[in-house]
Amino acid sequence: MRLGGRLAAAIEVLDDIDRRHRPAADALKDWGLSHRFAGAGDRAAIGNIVYDGLRRRRSAGWLLDDDTPRAVGFGALLLEWRETALSLNEALQGDKFAPPPLSPDELQTIAVRGAGTAPDAIRADCPDWCAPLLQRAFSDEWVGEGAALAARPPLDLRVNTLAANRPDVLAELAETGAVPSDLTDHGIRIAPIKDGGRHPNVQAEPAFRKGWFEVQDEGSQIAAELTGAEPNMQVLDYCAGAGGKALALSAAMENRGRIFAHDAEKTRLAPIFERIRRSESRNIEALSKATELTALQGRMDIVLVDAPCTGSGTWRRRPDAKWRLSQKQLDARIAEQAAILRAAKAYVKSGGYLVYVTCSVFEEENRDQIRAFLDREAGFAPVDHEELWASRFAGHADAARVDPHLGICLSPAKSGTDGFFFAKLRRAA
């Protein structure tokens, strides 16, 4: 399939996403099922155009002065694939499966718009209602942070130190272009893909099947490390999901002590059992029933709350979610987070720690939540987050935004990770 056919397919998928208000992954899967002739390379390229278009939707629409799937698809190629308007039209010539080439009016618009400077919210590639949220979170750097959240992400891995070490895993993955991560001692990074390429299927690697590594964004790895879990501790991962952080904590604890992995939704917790088996983690116990937590009250050295959130920090990986998000959904997440913190504090022992993490960049879900919790709960106090960051990531003082009292913020532009927030509170002895 030539570029024109791939572009036409991407426009078709983008139209399906818009009309049916559905996730991009579902729309791409359905397209693939109805076009079984398409090879893996075609599917990857079509997916790249779709995701590039969703990441850069505002910029693409502004460039062509239109917000249709056609404009978004063409704009994705112009903004991310190193195509020019003329080279793109040349590539479409003679391709019977291609969409109509750029018209004279479209070419003129691209020439004029491309020579100018777009408004801030366009350059940040965010919905208008989210612009004040980003501005509050990042101040004068908000446009750059929004743009970073609209870039292609790397593929990050975490070495499972219960089964392997980083040099051995790097040797196993040498053909993938994997390199050591910048911040974490056990992280590995594969650079963002270019144009129509695709990341290697690392989960098909023998090293993955042997449990040598897990796929995990470096920001999530950093949050797990800052948690401070040590051998022989008692830890409750209160919103464990598929168990990524529980597995990282298990390795940090050297399989000693106990980790109770709980999630209110059994379906979210389901993948953890296979991951535990593969990683050789022996100190994780999965708990799906609230009644199973009763005996843990007041006994935990650390309670980790990886709270449900808007996911605004993961927009570069899930850009379609950016356009489906609403103020109503944000308000619901804020209320849910406050309720979870109120419930989770009961499991922290005297002198223990409550750790709060989100994959959001919005202050309303992050420092505002910590400030409100501390106002309500006189028995908790924040650790010195500047000291905590320096103790774990010495030499990387500028890689995070650190508030001594209210937490640590990671972001694509600042840390090279997804957007994460971390706060650690100590219960009075």
Side-chain angles (χ1 to χ4, degrees):
M1 189 183 291
R2 294 164 60 183
L3 179 60
R6 291 171 169 179
L7 174 57
I11 292 172
E12 180 183 338
V13 174
L14 287 165
D15 181 64
D16 182 31
I17 293 169
D18 282 356
R19 283 186 297 102
R20 300 171 65 184
H21 304 287
R22 62 199 308 238
D26 292 347
L28 283 164
K29 181 180 178 180
D30 285 352
W31 185 93
L33 290 173
S34 61
H35 297 77
R36 296 181 183 275
F37 62 85
D42 290 327
R43 294 171 193 247
I46 293 164
N48 288 351
I49 298 172
V50 169
Y51 277 95
D52 286 339
L54 292 170
R55 292 186 189 102
R56 305 294 306 277
R57 186 169 197 149
R58 295 293 303 274
S59 296
W62 188 83
L63 186 62
L64 279 85
D65 195 21
D66 196 0
D67 61 358
T68 62
R70 170 185 165 85
V72 172
F74 273 88
L77 293 176
L78 294 170
L79 294 168
E80 293 290 342
W81 287 56
R82 294 172 291 183
E83 293 281 354
T84 66
L86 294 179
S87 70
L88 191 49
N89 269 3
E90 288 176 2
L92 302 185
Q93 287 181 358
D95 187 346
K96 64 180 181 179
F97 299 107
L102 293 164
S103 68
D105 286 346
E106 288 174 322
L107 291 171
Q108 176 65 19
T109 299
I110 291 168
V112 173
R113 290 287 180 98
T117 301
D120 286 348
I122 303 295
R123 292 189 290 125
D125 270 295
C126 70
D128 282 331
W129 77 272
C130 289
L133 302 179
L134 291 178
Q135 190 167 13
R136 184 177 176 225
F138 299 119
S139 190
D140 293 343
E141 299 174 328
W142 76 275
V143 173
E145 288 286 359
L149 283 165
R152 289 186 176 185
L155 175 61
D156 286 345
L157 315 175
R158 177 186 58 80
V159 174
N160 175 22
T161 54
L162 297 176
N165 58 56
R166 187 157 68 175
D168 286 347
V169 176
L170 286 169
E172 286 284 315
L173 300 178
E175 295 182 358
T176 68
V179 298
S181 295
D182 290 337
L183 298 175
T184 55
D185 291 337
H186 308 304
I188 289 175
R189 173 160 290 185
I190 299 173
I193 53 179
K194 300 292 186 183
D195 300 335
R198 52 181 171 162
H199 276 133
N201 182 11
V202 294
Q203 293 182 335
E205 294 285 339
F208 177 80
R209 298 178 184 274
K210 290 186 289 186
W212 284 18
F213 66 86
E214 291 285 337
V215 177
Q216 186 177 27
D217 182 77
E218 190 177 19
S220 181
Q221 297 177 47
I222 290 170
E225 185 167 342
L226 291 170
T227 295
E230 298 177 355
N232 301 316
M233 280 186 170
Q234 302 284 303
V235 178
L236 171 59
D237 187 353
Y238 191 72
C239 304
K245 291 185 178 65
L247 292 169
L249 298 180
S250 177
M253 294 167 64
E254 300 171 4
N255 254 338
R256 292 183 283 152
R258 298 184 75 183
I259 299 171
F260 301 94
H262 166 74
D263 201 285
E265 295 289 337
K266 292 182 180 180
T267 54
R268 287 201 294 257
L269 194 60
I272 197 173
F273 298 99
E274 170 59 22
R275 299 180 79 182
I276 290 172
R277 183 202 62 76
R278 189 178 61 247
S279 68
E280 299 183 4
S281 294
R282 297 187 301 274
N283 63 339
I284 301 177
E285 180 180 350
L287 307 175
S288 59
K289 298 179 181 178
T291 54
E292 296 174 307
L293 297 175
T294 304
L296 306 184
Q297 291 189 7
R299 292 177 48 200
M300 297 295 102
D301 294 290
I302 296 173
V303 175
L304 169 62
V305 174
D306 190 1
C309 66
T310 58
S312 56
T314 66
W315 279 349
R316 56 185 187 168
R317 300 184 192 278
R318 301 179 183 88
D320 47 331
K322 173 166 51 174
W323 310 110
R324 293 197 306 271
L325 185 63
S326 67
Q327 181 67 54
K328 182 178 179 180
Q329 290 171 315
L330 172 59
D331 292 341
R333 294 290 82 76
I334 292 170
E336 187 176 9
Q337 292 153 6
I340 289 173
L341 281 170
R342 282 194 295 269
K345 68 183 176 69
Y347 303 98
V348 184
K349 76 177 189 181
S350 176
Y353 296 94
L354 178 62
V355 172
Y356 177 74
V357 176
T358 75
C359 54
S360 172
V361 296
F362 297 153
E363 291 286 81
E364 290 76 1
E365 299 182 89
N366 297 336
R367 291 194 294 186
D368 285 0
Q369 283 286 14
I370 295 303
R371 187 181 291 109
F373 179 83
L374 292 173
D375 287 344
R376 292 192 307 266
E377 305 293 340
F380 285 85
V383 302
D384 185 333
H385 289 91
E386 283 186 341
E387 182 179 310
L388 175 61
W389 180 261
S391 70
R392 298 281 177 169
F393 299 101
H396 298 285
D398 296 332
R401 294 175 175 86
V402 183
D403 183 308
H405 302 293
L406 297 177
I408 298 167
C409 300
L410 307 173
S411 68
K414 192 78 170 177
S415 317
T417 68
D418 283 354
F420 274 91
F421 174 77
F422 176 95
K424 187 172 183 178
L425 312 176
R426 183 175 184 271
R427 186 165 211 158

